[in-house]
Amino acid sequence: MNLKERYYVSTISNKQRNEMIEKHHYLHRLRGATYSFGLYDREEKEHTDWFGDFDKLVGVIMYSVPAAFQLCEGVCGKEYKSQVIELSRLWIMDETMKNVESYLISNTLKLLDKHDIVVSYADPSAKHRGIVYQATNFIYTGKSGGGRDLILLNQGVGSHSRGTPKIGGYQALADKYGKENVVYQEKIAKHRYIYFACSKKKRKMYMNKLKWSIEAYPKE
């Protein structure tokens, strides 16, 4: 049995998506999504008391509008910033068939009906370099910039910049929460990939507008 015979892609409820991402994704952190899809296995079944057996959910993929406007404008300019979407979460169960990740990505790229420009990152700190994006013909554009984030500690909001209240800079946070609870955290530069999910004609146009340099795929 090949991939297409065993697996299929379908939309997924927010509740089911969030449960899987929070439990299984290496970040264990939720994020809003414009598009969400599940990967289902026809051979494996999940049992429910009320509705019987269903095809098992073995993968989840999410696409989100980037939080930073600089990113949206930085790909192909302000004119096309509304076309930018980020592949923000991807999780696949370990026991699935080989190449199922690229199968899920390639099939969902066709379903992004309101966005042409897809950006995704691979985190070296998690030993990722984007092999699945290379297999799906994403373009590699080097590493994202580093820099520093303000992080608020010990306030029940986590240790990530997304959980830090946006009330100003260091001094505003220090005045409200105490200097001992406000730190700068170095950003880890991540491998950055893009994909143009559109016709060949539009892809050529976007390539001419692309502001990032195209580089060879990283080997480590």
Side-chain angles (χ1 to χ4, degrees):
M1 178 175 287
N2 61 33
L3 283 172
K4 292 182 180 180
E5 292 172 334
R6 180 164 181 174
Y7 301 103
Y8 64 93
V9 175
S10 182
T11 54
I12 187 174
S13 70
N14 291 345
K15 180 178 183 294
Q16 197 172 22
R17 174 200 72 198
N18 291 345
E19 287 176 353
M20 290 294 172
I21 292 298
E22 200 165 27
K23 181 178 180 180
H24 298 294
H25 192 271
Y26 80 99
L27 290 175
H28 302 290
R29 187 170 63 243
L30 300 180
R31 184 172 173 181
T34 304
Y35 308 92
S36 302
F37 304 100
L39 179 73
Y40 292 88
D41 188 338
R42 292 186 176 94
E43 289 293 297
E44 297 290 332
K45 302 295 180 180
E46 291 180 306
H47 179 75
T48 64
D49 293 334
W50 292 97
F51 301 106
D53 294 338
F54 284 85
D55 295 340
K56 187 173 183 177
L57 176 65
V58 294
V60 175
I61 191 169
M62 295 168 49
Y63 296 87
S64 310
V65 174
F69 74 89
Q70 297 95 332
L71 169 59
C72 295
E73 295 180 358
V75 186
C76 293
K78 291 183 179 180
E79 184 179 1
Y80 301 106
K81 65 180 181 181
S82 64
Q83 291 294 327
V84 178
I85 197 82
E86 181 183 346
L87 198 169
S88 54
R89 296 288 187 272
L90 173 64
W91 166 75
I92 300 285
M93 187 175 289
D94 289 338
E95 295 78 13
T96 52
M97 292 174 66
K98 185 179 180 181
N99 299 324
V100 74
E101 285 186 327
S102 56
Y103 173 81
L104 176 58
I105 292 174
S106 61
N107 277 276
T108 55
L109 286 171
K110 303 171 185 176
L111 303 175
L112 310 181
D113 55 349
K114 296 181 180 179
H115 296 84
D116 290 340
I117 304 171
V118 182
V119 180
S120 195
Y121 296 90
D123 186 353
S125 67
K127 298 183 179 179
H128 298 162
R129 70 172 188 266
I131 296 297
V132 65
Y133 304 131
Q134 297 174 21
T136 324
N137 296 318
F138 275 65
I139 298 168
Y140 182 64
T141 60
K143 286 188 176 181
S144 62
R148 298 192 299 173
D149 279 327
L150 276 172
I151 303 297
L152 182 62
L153 304 176
N154 304 320
Q155 298 294 324
V157 294
S159 58
H160 189 272
S161 62
R162 292 186 187 277
T164 300
K166 308 302 182 185
I167 63 172
Y170 173 86
Q171 195 58 52
L173 288 168
D175 289 344
K176 184 170 183 177
Y177 297 100
K179 292 182 178 180
E180 68 279 8
N181 290 319
V182 182
V183 299
Y184 280 101
Q185 184 181 74
E186 294 295 327
K187 290 182 180 179
I188 297 172
K190 297 179 180 180
H191 296 296
R192 184 178 60 197
Y193 292 84
I194 62 170
Y195 186 92
F196 297 116
C198 55
S199 66
K200 290 183 179 179
K201 183 177 179 180
K202 290 184 74 174
R203 184 180 186 275
K204 184 177 180 180
M205 182 270 292
Y206 285 131
M207 288 291 287
N208 289 332
K209 297 285 185 178
L210 182 60
K211 294 181 177 294
W212 296 335
S213 61
I214 299 174
E215 300 183 16
Y217 287 146
K219 295 182 179 179
E220 59 182 25

